[in-house]
Amino acid sequence: MDASSRNAAPPSPAALPAGPSSRATPMMEQYFEIKAANPNCLLFYRMGDFYELFFADAEIAARALGIALTKRGKHLGEDIPMCGVPVERADEYLHRLIALGHRVAVCEQLEDPAAARRRGAKSVVRRDVVRLVTPGTLTEESLLDSRRNNHLAAIARARASAAAADSVFALATADISTGDFRVIEGDAALLASEIARLDPGEVLVSDALYADPELAPFLRTLRQVTPLPRDVFDGATAERRLAQFFGVATIEAFGTFSRLEANAAAACVTYIDRTQLGRRPPLSPPARETSRTILQIDSATRANLELTRTLGGERKGSLLSAIDRTLTSAGSRLIAQRLSAPLTEPAAIARRLDALDWFMRNDEALAQTRAALAAAPDLARALARLALGRGGPRDLAAIRDGLSAAKALSTTLSGVADAPAEIAEALDALRGPDGDWVGELNAALADQLPPAKRDGGFVRAGFAHPLDEARALRDESRRVVAALQARYAEETGVRTLKIRHNNVLGYFVEVSAQHAGKLSASPGRDAFIHRQTLAGQVRFATTELAELEAKIASAADRALAIELEIFDRFAGLIADAAAAIRGTAGALAALDVAAALATLAIERAYVRPEIDASADFRIEGGRHPVVEQALLRDGGPFVANDCDLSPVDGGDAGRIWLVTGPNMAGKSTFLRQNALIAVLAQMGSFVPAKRARIGVLDRLFSRVGAADDLARGRSTFMVEMVETAAILNQAGPRSLVILDEIGRGTATFDGLSIAWAAIEHLHEANRCRALFATHFHELTALAKKLLRLHNATVRVKEWHGEVIFLHEVAPGAADRSYGVQVAKLAGLPESVVERAKLILAELEAEDRTSTARRLIDDLPLFAASAREPGPSPHKGDALIAALDALNPDEMSPREALEALYALKAKARG
Ligand SMILES: Nc1ncnc2c1ncn2[C@@H]1O[C@H](COP(=O)(O)OP(=O)(O)OP(=O)(O)O)[C@@H](O)[C@H]1O
Ligand SMILES: [Mg+2]
């Protein structure tokens, strides 16, 4: 999606022409009324087999969808622009409109047109909007990515004062297609990192928040922001609205929520109620999360580490795609969730690792589980569609197959010994809902199922006697039609006579024009009544045919009604069992993830990380999970490397590794692999290393110099500095910081100075574990002064003037970058390479390193206390110095007065 459509502006409401007028037709009157009740939406107005759009809606949709704009009748003397989409292809068009940021109100016919006609020739078919389609409230398979959640988010804010820093936010997120519902409270940084993690399809805010200039830049970065009137975010009614939605007396049953959390959660459910027009998706009660239990990763870090998407926005090439061996859509969504939200509690992480470990030790259970999962469809999404009245026969089948697969798996694994907690819990939930309707459902559904229920044909013959009867009658009548055709052909002598059917005429007799005379003149003349003459054909009706038609129609209607009744009965049973089905779906997903990660660990020789509450970070033989797999495909080996950021000698502050080395040596790869190993470990996966011991991280930061954000109006260097500032201000003793070539987007000395000061700050003030890659080789001299700074370099060999990359990280410092050699490898013209070599030689003669050495020795070390911004202007410094020099005890009154004058003069400048 391009930047312009990712903005926060509400989709432009398609303006109505100047109100209904006395000259509008009754149908147009109805249209105006419905349209007025649904402003800000494109109105899909059902007319027979089409959804039609009128006026400005039609113009917007025709342009967006590339479909023909036509006209229909006149309004106030002007043509009414119109376009339409066929009902059976509506999903596809909806998808495109939603992706462009539009909202769509779907207006259906609520009665049979025949019923309207019976009321009188002028009466209009009853219609109303049955649903608002918005990006955050989708459930259709065709509108969703099966491997990703689609979150609807609501942000509520409370301010202690006017200062932005005092704001507290609550974020509620619901995925109505799966039932997940969560709420969390925290500061602006938490809000941003949570939104980056969940990547909601739609974000709800109050009108007031939407208009707040402080939040505008942030809101602009989101996919779709929907401002809502104040009542949706009304704190006073929030708890009541939540309780009502879940049908409980009070929400205390779900835990203790702060006012702000209840407010955000209530905004979500109110919006769901309004867009689903009262139909309720099977949402789980809101789960309260806290920032302390999740590793915080801000959006720049997520993007930079390519956790779930590459910088180019694709899944392929991301860490997620490298580790995802799940077999079900629900498993795929869960592994993405876990990867996006690694844990911070060693016990909770161990619980997941135990499950994985168990699968690795029980290969039979692993194989059986994977085999059963392969047959398990998406229970959660089928359930949501059925509960919202949007389900089809295939959703019934999905529930049947999912529950059967789960039950079979629970039987298979029932005998297992020593199952760890996560597995045991999952096995328990696999048993599914009580009642034997699953077996009955199996007996009810036909082998081949149509996608929609509206035409019937999904109930198996033999399941319901009345249905079989109605169908027999219907089919029998069809045979009678065939016999009738043969008889008519015989009687009239027209061999090519056909009996056909369409929606306008019903059944009719059709012959080619040349034979029409024979029918008009046939003996039982009144039997053939002329109905229509086309270019080559003439059509007739007969009384016999009309009678037959009525019989067929009523039998078919009855059959359909019985089928729909059966459908509704099962849908009702399923909705009643929603909580248990959701439990089963969750258990299948959890088993899928554990089994998938075990499969990955076996396949790629990952090990179980040791996780505790220490400040250690010791990786032996670590590998980059994504680069390793990419190299494997190209046949190259990945060189494993160690990393140790543990505190020195029992201290509590982590170490910083300053990584130098030539271009292309593998610095960036090394930095990222350590961050990715930490993420994998804390999400509960084994890791690509020989051994890994990690004291849990609470925050992870990763920055690369030079990345544009021109869309947000920041230059390359500005982005780099804003992000670096965020790290230096936020990183604490439990954080891991990855800084890759910070300071390279500016003049050499500016960059060097910034990198230098940043390292000192990390060492003295943040005291975190950090990896810092740089081409400023002078910085390596800092290790002399900073106790916990360790120099590491990625080794290369020089051979006959060529560089050979070893990709080995070793203690020590690089003295050169071989940039010119790498440029040569890249194919820079020979003349440029030669000239560069000459210039380099000249420059190196002026050795800048010696200056740096001198500075390291002379400059006083960075003082952590200087973090508090003091009265910094030079004039202030001079005044303070002058004051300091005075000694009042030894001054005469006159000297004191003179000193006072002198100070005043100084202050004036
Ligand atoms: N440990 C390794 N084993 C094998 N190949 C590696 C290893 N590390 C890096 N490589 C290969 O080397 C390439 C360059 O690595 P990387 O981008 O990390 O270099 P760099 O030192 O950051 O270079 P620059 O200074 O130009 O940014 C990678 O794309 C990868 O193919
Ligand atoms: Mg690099």
Side-chain angles (χ1 to χ4, degrees):
M1 193 182 291
D2 66 0
S4 63
S5 59
R6 284 182 74 105
N7 66 33
S12 55
L16 269 185
S21 88
S22 53
R23 273 173 295 163
T25 62
M27 197 201 80
M28 270 298 143
E29 298 262 13
Q30 182 191 52
Y31 173 85
F32 285 132
E33 196 179 306
I34 296 174
K35 176 75 194 167
N38 295 280
N40 302 333
C41 288
L42 299 175
L43 184 63
F44 268 36
Y45 184 82
R46 178 75 178 260
M47 293 179 76
D49 293 336
F50 279 81
Y51 290 114
E52 304 287 6
L53 295 102
F54 298 108
F55 299 106
D57 280 5
E59 283 162 8
I60 293 173
R63 211 168 348 164
L65 301 171
I67 54 178
L69 187 65
T70 56
K71 40 188 185 263
R72 179 193 170 101
K74 286 194 187 290
H75 179 70
L76 302 176
E78 302 264 342
D79 287 336
I80 302 175
M82 177 182 94
C83 69
V85 302
V87 169
E88 69 269 19
R89 290 185 59 198
D91 276 4
E92 176 192 329
Y93 289 112
L94 271 175
H95 186 63
R96 277 153 65 189
L97 290 171
I98 299 297
L100 288 169
H102 295 289
R103 302 152 57 79
V104 177
V106 181
C107 171
E108 293 289 355
Q109 296 178 174
L110 299 182
E111 65 181 349
D112 192 336
R117 272 198 298 277
R118 278 197 291 277
R119 282 202 307 273
K122 281 249 160 122
S123 48
V124 184
V125 180
R126 272 197 301 121
R127 291 188 179 84
D128 209 347
V129 170
V130 296
R131 171 185 178 204
L132 302 181
V133 188
T134 76
T137 55
L138 304 174
T139 49
E140 281 77 357
E141 218 170 349
S142 54
L143 302 185
L144 292 167
D145 179 345
S146 65
R147 293 187 300 181
R148 288 188 56 190
N149 276 101
N150 182 45
H151 291 292
L152 170 73
I155 302 174
R157 177 177 68 178
R159 323 182 72 166
S161 73
D166 285 342
S167 294
V168 181
F169 294 91
L171 177 74
T173 45
D175 182 342
I176 72 166
S177 69
T178 62
D180 297 349
F181 192 22
R182 300 197 168 80
V183 56
I184 191 166
E185 183 175 303
D187 59 8
L190 177 84
L191 176 75
S193 89
E194 281 296 288
I195 289 205
R197 162 166 89 89
L198 298 162
D199 190 21
E202 183 174 5
V203 178
L204 313 175
V205 294
S206 66
D207 283 330
L209 220 58
Y210 188 68
D212 188 330
E214 247 167 43
L215 274 179
F218 172 65
L219 295 181
R220 252 202 313 274
T221 63
L222 307 180
R223 278 204 273 173
Q224 169 94 31
V225 179
T226 306
L228 293 170
R230 174 190 297 237
D231 64 322
V232 180
F233 283 90
D234 176 26
T237 57
E239 294 207 1
R240 188 167 50 72
R241 280 179 289 142
L242 271 174
Q244 236 166 36
F245 186 91
F246 288 101
V248 293
T250 145
I251 57 163
E252 273 161 31
F254 305 146
T256 324
F257 296 90
S258 73
R259 243 183 116 85
L260 202 58
E261 285 168 337
N263 195 342
C268 267
V269 300
T270 301
Y271 187 69
I272 290 169
D273 262 346
R274 289 193 187 169
T275 52
Q276 308 308 303
L277 294 132
R279 293 207 82 134
R280 300 214 158 134
L283 223 50
S284 69
R288 198 161 171 259
E289 292 189 333
T290 75
S291 54
R292 287 189 308 279
T293 55
I294 298 173
L295 173 63
Q296 279 191 56
I297 312 173
D298 61 27
S299 69
T301 302
R302 276 172 203 283
N304 180 229
L305 291 176
E306 307 191 304
L307 293 183
T308 55
R309 247 175 291 176
T310 62
L311 287 171
E314 283 167 41
R315 181 184 164 108
K316 191 161 177 280
S318 67
L319 178 61
L320 177 60
S321 105
I323 64 164
D324 187 0
R325 302 285 187 279
T326 58
L327 296 168
T328 66
S329 309
S332 199
R333 293 194 295 268
L334 183 63
I335 200 172
Q337 276 171 26
R338 291 195 177 174
L339 179 59
S340 300
L343 304 175
T344 55
E345 287 164 350
I349 298 167
R351 205 180 118 88
R352 292 185 184 173
L353 291 172
D354 287 343
L356 214 159
D357 220 347
W358 182 82
F359 268 125
M360 293 186 67
R361 283 183 281 108
N362 292 275
D363 33 345
E364 201 180 331
L366 177 59
Q368 285 165 337
T369 305
R370 304 262 297 165
L373 286 167
D378 202 337
L379 274 174
R381 284 196 165 156
L383 173 66
R385 282 191 291 271
L386 287 166
L388 286 166
R390 266 173 237 157
R394 291 177 187 175
D395 291 316
L396 291 183
I399 299 281
R400 171 196 64 188
D401 297 343
L403 292 179
S404 314
K407 201 167 222 132
L409 185 58
S410 99
T411 317
T412 317
L413 297 184
S414 61
V416 299
D418 71 332
E422 199 183 52
I423 304 273
E425 236 164 61
L427 290 185
D428 215 34
L430 283 188
R431 283 204 290 275
D434 296 332
D436 43 12
W437 52 264
V438 180
E440 210 192 329
L441 184 56
N442 194 31
L445 292 179
D447 292 337
Q448 298 293 326
L449 296 173
K453 64 181 180 190
R454 62 172 173 260
D455 300 324
F458 52 85
V459 175
R460 186 189 294 277
F463 177 72
H465 188 59
L467 175 62
D468 292 343
E469 265 180 2
R471 278 177 174 166
L473 202 60
R474 179 195 68 194
D475 299 342
E476 173 58 24
S477 313
R478 285 197 180 132
R479 264 196 298 285
V480 176
V481 169
L484 198 60
Q485 173 174 307
R487 204 183 84 214
Y488 285 163
E490 182 71 37
E491 282 175 8
T492 57
V494 182
R495 298 238 145 271
T496 52
L497 178 149
K498 287 272 173 320
I499 293 183
R500 296 189 188 281
H501 183 269
N502 72 23
N503 283 337
V504 184
L505 295 183
Y507 281 99
F508 54 85
V509 176
E510 185 176 274
V511 292
S512 57
Q514 79 212 57
H515 295 306
K518 288 197 190 144
L519 266 65
S520 314
S522 71
R525 192 167 334 214
D526 57 348
F528 292 100
I529 308 151
H530 176 267
R531 291 297 308 270
Q532 205 175 26
T533 302
L534 304 177
Q537 276 96 31
V538 183
R539 293 168 171 177
F540 297 87
T542 73
T543 346
E544 228 175 331
L545 207 46
E547 276 165 15
L548 205 58
E549 168 155 17
K551 242 164 106 185
I552 293 174
S554 82
D557 283 354
R558 206 166 60 248
L560 181 60
I562 297 171
E563 285 206 64
L564 294 180
E565 209 174 281
I566 292 171
F567 185 96
D568 288 344
R569 186 165 69 82
F570 282 116
L573 287 167
I574 288 167
D576 290 344
I581 296 175
R582 234 185 17 242
T584 307
L588 283 173
L591 287 175
D592 193 8
V593 169
L597 287 174
T599 305
L600 170 77
I602 294 167
E603 174 195 316
R604 305 251 36 86
Y606 284 11
V607 299
R608 179 175 179 143
E610 300 156 42
I611 310 255
D612 57 22
S614 70
D616 285 351
F617 192 94
R618 195 170 299 125
I619 312 293
E620 287 171 32
R623 285 125 46 205
H624 192 297
V626 182
V627 176
E628 176 183 40
Q629 288 187 33
L631 285 183
L632 195 74
R633 281 192 291 276
D634 304 340
F638 188 90
V639 181
N641 280 304
D642 301 347
C643 178
D644 190 356
L645 306 176
S646 310
V648 183
D649 298 336
D652 60 344
R655 243 183 280 195
I656 303 173
W657 273 28
L658 185 69
V659 185
T660 49
N663 290 109
M664 276 295 284
K667 299 181 297 297
S668 301
T669 308
F670 177 69
L671 259 55
R672 278 177 188 67
Q673 90 188 20
N674 287 299
L676 297 183
I677 286 172
V679 167
L680 285 174
Q682 290 190 213
M683 78 172 272
S685 166
F686 282 21
V687 297
K690 274 218 187 65
R691 205 171 155 209
R693 182 179 156 78
I694 298 173
V696 276
L697 311 174
D698 67 350
R699 282 176 170 213
L700 176 62
F701 295 98
S702 171
R703 290 300 182 282
V704 196
D708 279 311
D709 191 358
L710 296 179
R712 278 165 77 185
R714 292 167 177 175
S715 75
T716 313
F717 184 65
M718 191 62 188
V719 173
E720 187 184 324
M721 286 302 108
V722 166
E723 293 181 356
T724 310
I727 297 180
L728 297 182
N729 288 325
Q730 293 174 25
R734 301 218 67 89
S735 307
L736 174 65
V737 172
I738 304 287
L739 287 173
D740 195 353
E741 298 196 36
I742 288 305
R744 79 173 170 188
T746 182
T748 309
F749 282 148
D750 295 62
L752 171 58
S753 317
I754 291 167
W756 181 321
I759 292 177
E760 287 185 345
H761 193 281
L762 285 173
H763 191 270
E764 297 299 301
N766 302 107
R767 302 169 67 77
C768 54
R769 290 162 275 185
L771 286 158
F772 197 110
T774 185
H775 286 290
F776 296 127
H777 299 138
E778 345 2 33
L779 292 176
T780 55
L782 272 171
K784 272 206 304 191
K785 265 225 160 131
L786 304 178
L787 188 68
R788 299 187 318 278
L789 186 71
H790 169 83
N791 283 329
T793 180
V794 193
R795 293 180 49 219
V796 289
K797 259 203 317 225
E798 230 181 320
W799 195 68
H800 290 318
E802 303 281 328
V803 255
I804 297 172
F805 298 105
L806 302 176
H807 304 305
E808 274 172 31
V809 178
D815 53 354
R816 46 187 311 209
S817 285
Y818 297 91
V820 178
Q821 276 86 343
V822 172
K824 186 177 159 199
L825 282 180
L828 231 62
E830 190 68 26
S831 57
V832 175
V833 173
E834 285 311 313
R835 177 72 182 147
K837 275 187 186 161
L838 262 175
I839 298 171
L840 182 64
E842 283 295 316
L843 288 175
E844 278 178 347
E846 289 174 22
D847 192 9
R848 149 178 125 204
T849 320
S850 58
T851 328
R853 291 239 167 77
R854 186 174 52 69
L855 280 179
I856 301 251
D857 291 336
D858 296 353
L859 265 188
L861 190 59
F862 167 84
S865 60
R867 273 204 301 167
E868 297 302 320
S872 59
H874 296 312
K875 196 155 78 186
D877 289 351
L879 272 176
I880 286 168
L883 255 178
D884 220 281
L886 299 182
N887 190 348
D889 290 340
E890 290 173 20
M891 283 173 153
S892 69
R894 184 190 172 123
E895 278 167 345
L897 194 61
E898 270 168 7
L900 195 56
Y901 276 119
L903 281 173
K904 276 225 46 120
K906 228 185 194 112
R908 238 180 273 120

